């Protein structure tokens, strides 16, 4: 059976995981909550967003701690700037002795939109094209096609990634909560690292943030704002059930 492991803030990676399950079968498992044994699966498929030209912290940790010789397939997705994330990921798998078969990338709507807005027509266009872009990716996994990611001639992106990951934990320090907060505690529930708490009647952020932006995008009142900007646009992938983000599908 296929184990389809994913991390997802706004549902883009979950959408891809669901397409893979629909075509190839298997179980969908949410990486931050997975405490089982990856070797229980015949094929291991990991679906992850690209964060800052590399991997999200939790996916990096998951891969780094994996001990398996099962065939491993990785599907990254990003807002259009993959940089050298595929090579970085491929190389990490090789260093860890994993049986990496392919690292592929699919373009999905950009969610790192703290300081700019993605026009709606762009989001819709990317979503419309997604099924066609995902199809060959799934076929390569089904056919066990080996895809070697070559070393880039010059890599100015991976050093930037390694620098950026050192400051991710500080991102939430720039979040604040507006008067629109209804105290629903959804942000507390969905933060993948338990970085949001309610204390003395207030929502507060700790210092464990992994910069996933789940809370920012998914607060129903858009009450979490960045650097006090009152930007209105938020994004949740409309092709998934929001409640399934962060859940397993067995
Ligand atoms: C912290 C952070 C960093 C990101 N960095 C990149 C990047 O370097 N290049 C890119 O194209 N997209 C980047 N993105 C966008 C996401 O990779 C993209 O929107 C992805 O589809 C989100 O998937 P998800 O909803 O499953 O989390 C970033 C998003 C976040 C939250
Ligand atoms: S999700 Fe939004 S509305 Fe709900 S408690 Fe958090 S900040 Fe307040
Ligand atoms: S505080 Fe928000 S951005 Fe930071 S890890 Fe938690 S959900 Fe993600």
């Amino acid at each position: 059976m296929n184990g389809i492991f994913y991390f997802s803030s706004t549902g883009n990676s979950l959408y891809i995981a669901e397409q893979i399950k629909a075509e190839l079968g298997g179980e969908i498992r949410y990486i931050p909550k997975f405490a089982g044994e990856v070797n229980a699966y015949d094929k291991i498929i990991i679906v992850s967003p690209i964060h800052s030209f590399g991997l999200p912290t939790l996916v990096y940790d998951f891969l780094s701690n994996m001990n398996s010789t099962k065939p491993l397939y990785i599907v990254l997705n990003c807002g259009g700037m993959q940089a050298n994330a595929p090579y970085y990921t491929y190389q990490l798998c090789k260093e860890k002795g994993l049986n990496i078969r392919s690292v592929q990338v699919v373009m999905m709507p950009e969610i790192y939109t703290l300081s700019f807005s993605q026009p709606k027509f762009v989001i819709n266009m990317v979503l419309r094209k997604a099924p066609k872009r995902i199809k060959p990716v799934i076929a390569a996994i089904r056919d066990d096609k080996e895809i070697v990611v070559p070393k880039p001639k010059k890599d100015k992106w991976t050093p930037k990634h390694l620098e950026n990951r050192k400051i991710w934990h500080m991102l939430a320090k720039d979040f604040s909560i507006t008067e629109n907060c209804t105290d629903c505690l959804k942000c507390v529930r969905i933060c993948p690292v338990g970085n949001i708490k309610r204390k003395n009647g207030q929502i507060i952020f700790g210092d464990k943030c992994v910069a996933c932006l789940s809370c920012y995008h998914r607060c129903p009142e858009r009450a979490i704002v960045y650097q006090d900007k009152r930007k209105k646009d938020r994004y949740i992938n409309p092709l998934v059930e929001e409640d399934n983000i962060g859940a397993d599908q067995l």
Side-chain angles (χ1 to χ4, degrees), residues 169 172-173 194-197 204-209:
H169 64 284
K173 301 268 175 253
N195 192 47
I196 310 177
K197 304 235 172 341
I204 53 158
F205 296 91
D207 56 9
K208 293 188 292 187
C209 182

Side-chain angles (χ1 to χ4, degrees), residues 39-190:
N39 291 306
Y41 296 100
D42 302 312
K43 283 184 173 183
I44 300 169
I45 302 165
I46 295 180
V47 187
S48 168
I50 287 174
H51 280 185
S52 220
F53 324 123
L55 289 171
T57 305
L58 298 175
V59 179
Y60 176 89
D61 291 347
F62 182 70
L63 262 178
S64 300
N65 293 325
M66 221 166 94
N67 189 0
S68 173
T69 53
K70 294 287 169 81
L72 170 65
Y73 310 82
I74 299 185
V75 182
L76 302 175
N77 67 104
C78 69
M81 180 67 187
Q82 67 183 58
N84 289 321
Y87 180 71
Y88 170 79
T89 307
Y90 186 77
Q91 204 44 32
L92 175 68
C93 295
K94 285 281 179 197
E95 278 164 21
K96 297 286 166 193
L98 299 169
N99 182 9
I100 183 70
R101 302 292 300 154
S102 57
V103 179
Q104 303 184 79
V105 187
V106 179
M107 186 175 168
M108 292 298 280
E110 173 64 67
I111 68 158
Y112 201 77
T113 50
L114 294 171
S115 55
F116 76 101
S117 297
Q118 188 85 284
K120 274 224 166 70
F121 81 89
V122 173
I123 295 174
N124 291 338
M125 188 182 67
V126 175
L127 287 174
R128 229 180 10 255
K129 289 186 176 176
K132 219 172 162 181
R133 288 175 168 155
I134 294 169
K135 228 176 162 170
V137 168
I138 297 177
I141 298 173
R142 186 192 52 229
D143 301 342
D144 187 31
K145 186 171 168 193
E146 184 174 10
I147 304 174
V148 174
V149 186
K151 186 175 180 182
K153 279 199 187 101
K154 230 168 115 183
D155 184 3
K156 61 175 181 176
W157 300 111
T158 305
K160 281 189 206 288
H161 168 70
L162 297 173
E163 274 308 302
N164 288 347
R165 33 177 306 164
K166 286 189 203 153
I167 51 171
W168 278 343
H169 64 284
M170 303 195 348
L171 180 100
K173 301 268 175 253
D174 282 329
F175 283 152
S176 51
I177 307 289
T178 71
E179 64 287 354
N180 294 335
C181 175
T182 56
D183 214 15
C184 71
L185 301 188
K186 179 178 175 183
C187 52
V188 176
R189 226 174 38 246
I190 66 173

